[in-house]
Amino acid sequence: MQRHFEQGILDGVRVLEVGGEIGAWCGKLMGDVGADVIKVEPPTGDPTRAYEPFYENEPGPDRSLFFWHYNTSKRSVTLDLEQDGGREVFMRLAAQADVVVDSHPPGYMDSIGLGYEAISKETPGLVMASITPFGQSGPYSDYASTDLTALALGGPVWSCGYDDHSIPPVRGGGNQAYHIVCHFAIMGVLTALIHRQFTGIGQYIDANMHAAANVTTEGASINWLVAEDTVQRQTGRHASVVPTADGQALCRDGRYVNVGIGARTEEQWIHLLSWLQEEGLIEDLGEFLDYPSREAMRRGDREAREQQRRVAEVMRELARRTDADVLFKRAQALGFQWGIVNSPEDVLEDPHFQARGFPVEVEHPDLGKSFVYAGAPYQFPESPWAISRRPPLLGEHNREVYVDELGMSTEELQNF
């Protein structure tokens, strides 16, 4: 019998999210798969509510597009954890929670009596994940950090940049380090929840962004660990111990296509030769008509590098004659792993994204409008992913959480 579930995979799991911007993505990921995520904000609001850009360029605590992106499927309550009364209420909230996601600086929650040891005495089944730049201990644990700090110290920035090494290394945009550590944090939380399911015991997870960034350095760390070789950054392609040929080609319409090394298999090589023959470009390869040896390329063999150079040049000429979309579709039809370098608007309008329902409309009833948000890169047919609500207004759910669910009286709430 086919089963039909309308609930997310974390339906029934309650999460308290406290702290800074580094952990917001983790809370969003859990909320979008069904968890009841309560964002516990200071009375003045999460600092990211003041981040630009703002809806219609009008600043306001509920108009930051940065905040919108990171806080779907959450509820918001305000609470002053610096006050005794606020801490007492937090402990009551924690007693009803399954998970606490904390992204305060290391030791902060312990310093105010809300660390894992204190909370787990009252709630032994609680899972608590702390997300910090460098972890709770170690020489750097108290160091200041942004997303870029962790990407630089963790290794990824070394591999990102240009062939011209007089130009400094670069980073990708988009808070990748925040996202990476949040992905590891949620994996830790899910694992701990499964462990709790069998043992009844919660646990503490210490996720650090510095180490999380390092496991995304592709071959950089492995090349060093295995052979003590150091990769070098290259424009638009993998960092490599041995320089490789250009992998991006500018098309007739001004867009770039990422072509990599052109042909990755003998079958693709035959297709490429046929295509170049059709375009009258095969003569430009000279005597280099045999399938390129990947091993010779890795060794940096002189002839292999010359062949790479010629292949890259004829592909650039091929691109100059063709619009990006035409080149991309022809290449894909032949089995090449080529792709257009898309702008943000190109991505969201991409027919494949549209067909899979990736961009999603989210209603903002208070504004009387709906807005397109990025959706999920995975699908759960049995327990659907969904943005269940727009980002919360500041303290929007104070009454709902404190009075209706925690049992406070209206008078208590007013005096609180």
Side-chain angles (χ1 to χ4, degrees):
M1 177 183 295
Q2 186 175 359
R3 296 173 299 165
H4 295 282
F5 296 104
E6 295 298 328
Q7 299 172 334
I9 195 72
L10 290 184
D11 185 75
V13 173
R14 173 167 285 190
V15 180
L16 302 181
E17 179 193 311
V18 293
E21 65 190 86
I22 185 175
W25 185 248
C26 183
K28 171 190 162 55
L29 292 177
M30 286 191 281
D32 289 345
V33 291
D36 174 19
V37 180
I38 301 174
K39 190 175 185 73
V40 181
E41 304 186 58
T44 53
D46 185 298
T48 65
R49 289 182 179 274
Y51 284 12
E52 297 177 340
F54 297 102
Y55 174 59
E56 294 184 331
N57 294 319
E58 294 179 14
D62 302 315
R63 302 175 74 89
S64 164
L65 304 189
F66 183 100
F67 185 86
W68 285 15
H69 178 65
Y70 284 97
N71 292 284
T72 57
S73 304
K74 299 179 186 178
R75 298 192 286 172
S76 166
V77 297
T78 53
L79 192 61
D80 188 351
L81 299 180
E82 296 290 332
Q83 302 296 321
D84 289 342
R87 291 191 286 271
E88 187 272 331
V89 170
F90 186 84
M91 290 294 279
R92 291 169 62 187
L93 288 172
Q96 295 183 353
D98 301 283
V99 179
V100 171
V101 174
D102 163 43
S103 53
H104 284 106
Y108 173 77
M109 291 293 273
D110 283 322
S111 74
I112 59 173
L114 297 177
Y116 176 71
E117 186 175 347
I119 298 176
S120 61
K121 283 181 181 175
E122 304 295 328
T123 313
L126 186 87
V127 172
M128 184 168 181
S130 290
I131 304 172
T132 56
F134 300 103
Q136 298 293 310
S137 61
Y140 295 177
S141 59
D142 292 326
Y143 280 12
S145 176
T146 65
D147 165 73
L148 176 56
T149 312
L151 289 173
L153 282 169
V157 171
W158 173 268
S159 300
C160 297
Y162 304 97
D163 293 300
D164 182 354
H165 290 179
S166 67
I167 301 172
V170 302
R171 56 160 284 193
N175 287 336
Q176 285 95 340
Y178 291 171
H179 288 216
I180 295 165
V181 71
C182 282
H183 289 157
F184 279 98
I186 193 171
M187 285 190 281
V189 168
L190 294 176
T191 304
L193 288 175
I194 293 171
H195 179 265
R196 188 186 71 169
Q197 189 172 358
F198 291 101
T199 66
I201 300 171
Q203 59 186 298
Y204 179 70
I205 299 160
D206 177 7
N208 87 85
M209 182 166 61
H210 182 215
N214 182 258
V215 297
T216 65
T217 53
E218 202 182 29
S221 295
I222 294 300
N223 269 288
W224 175 255
L225 289 171
V226 173
E228 296 193 353
D229 286 332
T230 302
V231 300
Q232 301 296 331
R233 54 189 176 273
Q234 304 187 110
T235 306
R237 55 200 196 277
H238 302 283
S240 175
V241 175
V242 177
T244 60
D246 290 347
Q248 294 174 329
L250 183 62
C251 294
R252 183 169 59 189
D253 58 0
R255 302 173 74 191
Y256 278 95
V257 168
N258 201 79
V259 300
I261 61 172
R264 295 175 178 270
T265 66
E266 287 196 57
E267 182 181 3
Q268 289 182 5
W269 179 248
I270 292 169
H271 285 312
L272 182 62
L273 292 181
S274 176
W275 193 355
L276 296 178
Q277 177 78 41
E278 181 184 320
E279 294 288 336
L281 292 171
I282 197 165
E283 299 299 328
D284 294 350
L285 290 179
E287 70 274 26
F288 297 105
L289 297 177
D290 291 334
Y291 175 57
S293 165
R294 301 288 294 271
E295 176 56 30
M297 284 193 282
R298 276 193 288 269
R299 288 199 313 269
D301 179 88
R302 187 179 61 81
E303 288 200 354
R305 293 183 65 179
E306 175 60 15
Q307 185 180 29
Q308 275 188 289
R309 187 191 68 77
R310 292 200 183 202
V311 171
E313 179 53 39
V314 295
M315 288 195 295
R316 282 197 293 272
E317 178 55 30
L318 184 64
R320 278 192 287 268
R321 302 176 177 187
T322 318
D323 288 344
D325 192 59
V326 174
L327 186 73
F328 163 64
K329 289 179 177 173
R330 172 77 185 273
Q332 284 289 335
L334 295 174
F336 297 117
Q337 297 94 333
W338 299 6
I340 302 173
V341 179
N342 275 332
S343 66
E345 57 271 29
D346 291 333
V347 174
L348 289 173
E349 293 171 1
D350 185 282
H352 182 74
F353 269 8
Q354 295 283 344
R356 287 181 59 84
F358 179 74
V360 294
E361 290 272 342
V362 177
E363 295 285 340
H364 283 234
D366 50 307
L367 298 175
K369 293 184 177 179
S370 64
F371 299 90
V372 175
Y373 282 68
Y378 42 60
Q379 296 180 347
F380 289 102
E382 299 274 356
S383 51
W385 174 97
I387 292 178
S388 60
R389 64 176 79 228
R390 55 133 172 81
L393 309 180
L394 177 59
E396 180 179 359
H397 303 95
N398 279 353
R399 171 170 290 278
E400 184 176 294
V401 172
Y402 292 140
V403 177
D404 300 342
E405 299 173 12
L406 202 59
M408 275 186 181
S409 66
T410 302
E411 183 179 6
E412 279 181 296
L413 180 62
Q414 290 172 341
N415 294 330
F416 175 56

